[in-house]
């Protein structure tokens, strides 16, 4: 690609840009550093972050380089509806977080992780399942962002992919290691302002440099009928529908989201997530349209790798100054999520592994917790760098992790609203969902014949569960049940007999349906209820020293049944 070669930066320029970006973020992080670091501040910044910082941090965390690349991949694969499916549903999932978030903070105002709350609610098994899924998810996310950084640096400089991965990994670790979550949210604010400004300039410039709108007229013949149809059923079934299910699971199961939920001031949850919804949608859909442009232009990504679409178009059409701005934008996007993953992993190891399962809540040493958190960041970075060499497809990784977390959504949410849910119901339902999800998702068993019908039935139930949960957060149990039943009735005639052909979508939907059915069946006849006020007493700050003896353990008959709980 001659245009790409002439637009490459020299090694000195790339090193200068990386030093400028990571050096600046390190200086910001150093200014908030403390000689005597606080373990709770390292994990949640004292549960007292204001609106501007929290909204920017949530936006920056949800916008990562992988989401930009994946949105463009969706546009390149499915046409103009691809980025809409990717960006719109992702944005709406941020919006759906806040009603659930208000309930979560009401039950556990000083918690650090959702897994910590599950320990207080059910016991060790549910805690470790949620913590374990987040460790896997955050490592995959971290790896994806390092892949994006390696691709960017290898395309725009003389450095190799591996050298680019090491440079990004070292830069993120540099400014996150000392102050943890506080460094992550403060640098997120600077990064998201830079990203939004860059997108507003760069995306229109590339469009017009590529001869827009004439390119859309001359290139229309390159599209298949499905790619040219805004209401493409293929785009919805293969991209939109799986992503709706996946990002709902991300919203509920992802520790990077939960960490910001526990950090923001409790009365600012709604404006924080509403603002992040708008910011995410605008930015990701805008960048995704570059994939649509590439489709109309007949653009062939370097090496046939769709992850190269965005940096390739930028290198071909941007002048050096804007290309440098683009470089900083992508590095900022991937860094804002990578530092969130490191902070999430460190908090899980600090609070869930060491704080509650090794030392115990009352004996945990805050200084040891900090050491555990920092060691976790170093080890996680090394592991993600090693996995990044696999160069897996980013879009596939995102949808897979979201579907995997789908097995946890109903058990987790119902544990905050329904006093009958037990630890046995939680654990059994998640394991059962995973046992069905994996064979369906990877086609280990042929889905024709009787098994195909079973998968279709479970998937239709999953549609009702997903839509019902979305409605439940805003309008309560009665409306959720009505919408869920209506969704099943309306979709069944169209889905039964054919839905099993879409393995990605069915895998996600069966994870939702099986976990919901099993959790409900094991909980509905349970007589004793759980007192939700116990959660606040069993979670909270580690730096305040030992607390008073606690009330009965979760799910024991002695725990009084609370009033006013609802069944999701």
């Amino acid at each position: 690609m001659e245009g790409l070669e002439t637009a490459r930066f020299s090694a000195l320029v790339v090193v200068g840009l990386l030093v400028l970006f990571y050096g600046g973020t390190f200086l910001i992080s150093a200014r908030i550093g403390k000689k005597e670091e606080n373990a709770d501040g390292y994990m949640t910044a004292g549960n007292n972050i204001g609106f501007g910082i929290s909204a920017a941090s949530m936006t920056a965390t949800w916008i990562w380089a992988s989401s930009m690349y994946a949105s463009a991949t969706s546009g390149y694969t499915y046409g103009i509806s691809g980025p809409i499916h990717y960006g719109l549903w992702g944005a709406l999932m941020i919006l759906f977080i806040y009603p659930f978030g208000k309930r979560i903070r009401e039950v556990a105002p000083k918690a650090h992780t959702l897994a910590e709350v599950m320990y207080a609610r059910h016991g060790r098994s549910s805690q470790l399942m949620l913590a374990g899924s987040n460790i896997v998810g955050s490592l995959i996310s971290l790896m994806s962002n390092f892949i994006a950084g390696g691709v960017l640096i290898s395309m725009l400089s003389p450095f190799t992919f591996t050298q680019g991965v090491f440079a990004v990994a070292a830069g993120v670790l540099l400014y996150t290691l000392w102050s943890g979550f506080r460094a992550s949210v403060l640098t997120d604010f600077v990064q998201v302002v830079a990203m939004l400004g860059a997108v507003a300039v760069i995306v229109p410039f590339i469009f017009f440099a590529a001869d827009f709108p004439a390119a859309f007229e001359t290139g229309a013949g390159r599209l298949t009928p499905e790619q040219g149809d805004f209401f493409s059923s293929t785009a919805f079934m293969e991209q939109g529908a799986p992503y709706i299910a996946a990002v709902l699971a991300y919203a509920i199961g992802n520790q990077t989201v939960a960490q910001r939920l526990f950090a923001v001031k409790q009365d600012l949850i709604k404006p924080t997530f509403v603002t992040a919804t708008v910011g995410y949608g605008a930015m990701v859909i805008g960048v995704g349209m570059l994939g649509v442009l590439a489709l109309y232009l007949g653009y062939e990504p370097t090496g046939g790798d769709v992850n190269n679409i965005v940096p390739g178009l930028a290198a071909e059409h941007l002048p050096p100054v804007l290309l440098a701005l683009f470089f900083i934008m992508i590095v900022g996007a991937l860094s804002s999520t990578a530092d969130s993953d490191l902070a999430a992993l460190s908090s899980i190891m600090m609070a869930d592994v060491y704080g509650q399962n090794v030392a115990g809540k009352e004996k945990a040493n805050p200084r040891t917790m900090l050491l555990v958190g920092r060691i976790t960041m170093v080890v996680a970075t090394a592991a993600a760098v090693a996995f990044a060499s696999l160069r897996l497809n980013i879009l596939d990784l995102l949808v897979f992790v979201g579907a995997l977390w789908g097995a946890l959504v109903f058990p987790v949410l119902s544990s905050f609203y329904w006093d009958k849910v037990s630890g046995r119901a939680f654990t059994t339902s998640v394991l059962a969902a995973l046992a069905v999800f994996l064979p369906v998702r990877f086609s280990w068993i042929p889905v024709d014949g009787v098994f195909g019908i079973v998968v279709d039935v479970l998937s239709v139930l999953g549609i009702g569960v997903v839509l019902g949960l979305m409605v439940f957060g805003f309008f309560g149990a009665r409306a959720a049940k009505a919408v869920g039943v209506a969704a099943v009735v309306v979709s069944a005639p169209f889905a039964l007999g054919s839905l099993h052909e879409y393995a990605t979508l069915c895998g996600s939907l069966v994870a939702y349906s099986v976990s919901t059915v099993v959790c409900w069946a094991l909980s509905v006849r349970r007589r004793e209820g759980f007192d939700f006020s116990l959660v606040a007493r069993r979670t909270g700050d580690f730096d305040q020293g030992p607390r008073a003896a606690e009330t009965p353990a979760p799910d024991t008959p002695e725990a009084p049944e609370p009033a006013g709980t609802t069944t999701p």
Side-chain angles (χ1 to χ4, degrees), residues 203-521:
V203 172
F205 190 97
I206 292 177
F207 263 79
F208 287 108
D211 198 22
F212 173 82
F216 275 62
E217 297 174 1
T218 58
R222 297 189 177 96
L223 276 64
T224 66
E226 286 289 339
Q227 290 173 329
D229 182 6
F230 183 80
F231 300 100
S232 166
S233 60
T234 300
F236 180 75
M237 296 299 291
E238 295 183 2
Q239 170 65 59
Y243 200 60
I244 293 172
V247 293
L248 177 61
Y250 263 100
I252 303 304
N254 194 331
Q255 171 59 19
T256 62
V257 176
Q259 203 163 13
R260 279 146 186 81
L261 174 63
F262 288 126
V264 66
K265 291 180 181 178
Q266 200 161 341
D267 59 340
L268 295 177
I269 291 175
K270 180 177 179 179
T272 292
F273 286 95
V274 170
T275 303
T277 297
V278 177
Y280 173 89
M283 187 167 180
V284 171
I285 292 174
V287 174
M289 288 300 171
L290 293 178
V292 179
L293 176 64
L295 177 64
Y296 276 87
L297 291 173
Y299 178 82
E300 293 293 334
T302 305
D305 186 350
V306 290
N307 294 332
N308 295 337
I309 292 173
V310 174
L313 283 176
E316 192 167 324
H317 295 289
L318 292 178
V321 173
L322 288 184
L323 189 59
L325 183 62
F326 167 82
F327 184 89
I328 293 296
M329 177 189 77
I330 298 296
V331 170
L334 66 89
S335 299
S336 65
T337 304
D339 63 35
S340 300
D341 288 318
L342 289 178
L345 287 165
S346 66
S347 66
I348 289 170
M349 297 301 294
M350 291 167 70
D352 295 309
V353 177
Y354 170 78
Q356 289 181 317
N357 287 286
V358 176
K361 182 72 174 178
E362 302 304 326
K363 296 181 181 179
N365 185 325
R367 291 190 176 184
T368 304
M369 291 182 74
L370 286 169
L371 179 62
V372 168
R374 288 170 178 147
I375 291 175
T376 298
M377 287 191 179
V378 175
V379 172
T381 300
V385 167
F387 290 136
S389 62
L390 300 175
R391 301 189 70 167
L392 301 174
N393 184 282
I394 292 173
L395 185 57
D396 288 345
L397 288 175
L398 295 177
V399 175
F400 170 74
V401 175
L404 189 65
W405 274 332
L408 289 158
V409 174
F410 184 85
V412 168
L413 287 179
S414 61
S415 296
F416 284 97
Y417 290 90
W418 193 14
D419 61 312
K420 304 298 184 192
V421 179
S422 66
R424 182 172 70 94
F426 186 105
T427 303
T428 305
S429 63
V430 173
L431 291 177
L434 292 178
V436 179
F437 161 74
L438 292 172
V440 173
R441 174 63 181 84
F442 296 105
S443 302
W444 292 346
I445 302 175
V447 291
D448 51 2
V450 176
F451 187 67
I453 296 299
V454 172
V455 170
D456 286 345
V457 171
L458 291 175
S459 298
V460 168
L461 291 176
I463 294 172
V465 171
V466 171
L467 295 180
L469 288 175
M470 291 179 179
V471 172
F472 173 72
F474 290 97
F475 303 107
R478 182 176 298 179
K481 291 174 183 177
V483 169
V485 171
V488 170
V489 171
V490 171
S491 62
F494 305 98
L496 295 178
S498 61
L499 196 55
H500 60 267
E501 297 173 4
Y502 301 92
T504 301
L505 175 58
C506 283
S508 183
L509 292 176
V510 298
Y512 275 97
S513 62
V514 172
S515 63
T516 300
V517 170
V518 174
C519 187
W520 176 85

Side-chain angles (χ1 to χ4, degrees), residues 94-219:
I94 303 177
L95 184 66
F96 285 129
I97 296 170
Y98 93 77
F100 296 121
K102 291 171 68 175
R103 172 63 180 173
I104 292 170
R105 282 294 296 275
E106 178 185 332
V107 172
K110 302 285 283 185
H112 308 87
T113 71
L114 276 179
E116 179 187 6
V117 181
M118 291 302 103
Y119 180 83
R121 177 68 174 86
H122 297 304
R124 183 164 295 150
S125 62
S126 58
Q127 177 203 27
L128 294 180
M129 292 183 77
L130 189 54
S133 70
N134 267 285
I135 290 173
V136 173
S138 288
L139 281 174
I140 290 177
S141 172
L142 197 60
M143 175 188 69
S144 297
N145 281 286
F146 290 167
I147 289 174
V151 167
L152 177 71
I153 291 174
S154 66
M155 290 191 70
L156 301 183
S157 76
F159 295 114
T160 65
F161 170 80
T162 301
Q163 290 170 329
V165 168
F166 272 97
V168 170
V172 173
L173 185 63
L174 173 71
Y175 74 84
T176 312
L177 184 64
W178 184 253
S179 296
F181 180 74
R182 292 189 297 109
S184 174
V185 293
L186 188 58
T187 54
D188 280 349
F189 181 82
V190 177
Q191 290 163 354
V192 80
V193 170
M195 285 190 290
L196 290 172
V199 167
V201 174
I202 288 171
V203 172
F205 190 97
I206 292 177
F207 263 79
F208 287 108
D211 198 22
F212 173 82
F216 275 62
E217 297 174 1
T218 58

